[in-house]
Amino acid sequence: MGTLGKAIYSVGFWIRETGQALDRLGCRLQGNYYFQEQLSRHRTLMNIFDKAPVVDKDVFLAPSASIIGDVQVGRGSSIWYGCVLRGDVNSISIGSGTNIQDNSLVHVAKSNLAGKVLPTIIGDNVTVGHSAVLHGCTVEDEAFVGMGATLLDGVYVEKHAMVAAGALVRQNTKIPCGEVWGGNPARFLRKLTEEEMAFISQSAINYSNLAQVHAAENAKSFDEIEFEKLLRKKFARRDEEYDSMLGVVRETPPELILPDNVMQDKVPKTA
């Protein structure tokens, strides 16, 4: 680096240092309202080559999730915290009302031992449990993939089928409708009951409702978050006997009440 280069570098260095000093001074002047933004290079939606994700406007996409490349996500689906959907060498398609839960990985296959080009296709109202891995496979509507399960290339899960938690489903395995498969390697365990099939559909509905709450929470401004902190501190619940001794009746403000559709202990009222 020559003399001119060193001079330019020094000027740039001092400009950056001055900016940081001004930022620190501004934070101090803000006092209790101090808030410092941290630069993050994470991108929730990211193009790769000439491929861009297509995500419906009604999808809940957690801030820490990553959707990369040729990925389509249908209406009312939810992609939860820490998930990675990487459609770089092939495509990923996710239907409506499907939930991909926290830390799950969905990828595709450009080539394998069978010489097949395999996208990943996930249907409507599918539940994919936490930390599941789906690679170059197909999961039909209203199927269930348990927590920590792994589906390898060419796996085909039919409608109303269930993959048990922790299962490893080998390449090109087909899981028929209404069956539970589990183990390592996965094999047929038993038939699903009518109640379990109904649970799969209800699970998708529950996560769709819960996703709306998380979407609203993530959309709140800094001022709204700070206001709710004050409310929670003011209306913190104490022991009921303690309150009765003081004659105190605590009412929860409406801002802190969850909607009925995500409260497990509330049953919809009938006419």
Side-chain angles (χ1 to χ4, degrees), residues 19 64-65 106 136 143 160 175 237 244 270:
S64 57
V106 181
H160 291 150
I175 300 180
R237 292 188 176 277
S244 64
T270 57

Side-chain angles (χ1 to χ4, degrees), residues 2-264:
T3 304
L4 180 60
K6 290 181 179 178
I8 294 174
Y9 174 84
S10 297
V11 171
F13 174 80
W14 287 114
I15 290 175
R16 293 182 65 184
E17 286 292 310
T18 302
Q20 292 177 12
L22 289 172
D23 181 62
R24 290 193 293 270
L25 176 61
C27 290
R28 290 193 182 97
L29 292 176
Q30 286 181 314
N32 292 333
Y33 296 98
Y34 155 71
F35 176 73
Q36 184 177 10
E37 292 184 321
Q38 299 292 335
L39 177 64
S40 172
R41 297 188 182 276
H42 169 78
R43 284 188 286 171
T44 305
L45 297 174
M46 190 176 83
N47 297 1
I48 190 77
F49 309 124
D50 60 341
K51 302 170 184 176
V54 178
V55 179
D56 190 271
K57 63 179 181 179
D58 291 329
V59 168
F60 166 62
L61 183 55
S64 57
S66 295
I67 296 185
I68 303 164
D70 191 0
V71 181
Q72 294 187 355
V73 185
R75 184 175 183 177
S77 291
S78 54
I79 313 299
W80 291 79
Y81 305 94
C83 288
V84 176
L85 281 63
R86 182 156 60 90
D88 45 9
V89 297
N90 213 317
S91 64
I92 296 172
S93 175
I94 297 174
S96 302
T98 289
N99 59 90
I100 311 295
Q101 297 175 18
D102 314 71
N103 296 321
S104 292
L105 169 65
V106 181
H107 194 222
V108 289
K110 183 178 181 180
S111 61
N112 48 41
L113 292 175
K116 295 181 179 179
V117 177
L118 297 170
T120 295
I121 301 171
I122 303 173
D124 299 336
N125 302 316
V126 174
T127 291
V128 177
H130 313 286
S131 300
V133 177
L134 281 67
H135 197 277
C137 59
T138 297
V139 182
E140 288 191 344
D141 300 347
E142 297 182 10
F144 187 98
V145 179
M147 294 181 287
T150 301
L151 279 59
L152 300 180
D153 293 6
V155 168
Y156 197 100
V157 181
E158 292 187 349
K159 185 175 181 178
H160 291 150
M162 178 180 288
V163 179
L168 173 62
V169 186
R170 293 184 294 187
Q171 291 92 338
N172 303 315
T173 300
K174 185 174 183 178
I175 300 180
C177 173
E179 293 186 3
V180 183
W181 284 51
N184 182 2
R187 53 177 56 86
F188 171 74
L189 298 179
R190 60 179 174 82
K191 290 285 187 178
L192 279 168
T193 65
E194 292 294 331
E195 291 78 9
E196 288 170 330
M197 289 187 185
F199 165 77
I200 293 176
S201 299
Q202 188 60 45
S203 175
I205 295 172
N206 292 344
Y207 258 89
S208 180
N209 293 333
L210 186 59
Q212 295 176 30
V213 178
H214 280 259
E217 187 67 29
N218 280 283
K220 288 178 180 177
S221 66
F222 175 73
D223 289 338
E224 289 175 312
I225 294 171
E226 290 300 307
F227 176 67
E228 287 190 3
K229 284 182 182 178
L230 293 175
L231 285 179
R232 287 192 176 92
K233 186 175 181 179
K234 181 178 180 180
F235 292 93
R237 292 188 176 277
R238 293 180 180 270
D239 183 81
E240 292 183 2
E241 292 185 5
Y242 176 84
D243 286 344
S244 64
M245 289 173 59
L246 298 179
V248 174
V249 178
R250 300 181 187 273
E251 295 183 0
T252 304
E255 293 87 348
L256 301 182
I257 299 176
L258 286 173
D260 289 349
N261 59 6
V262 296
M263 298 292 286
Q264 298 297 325

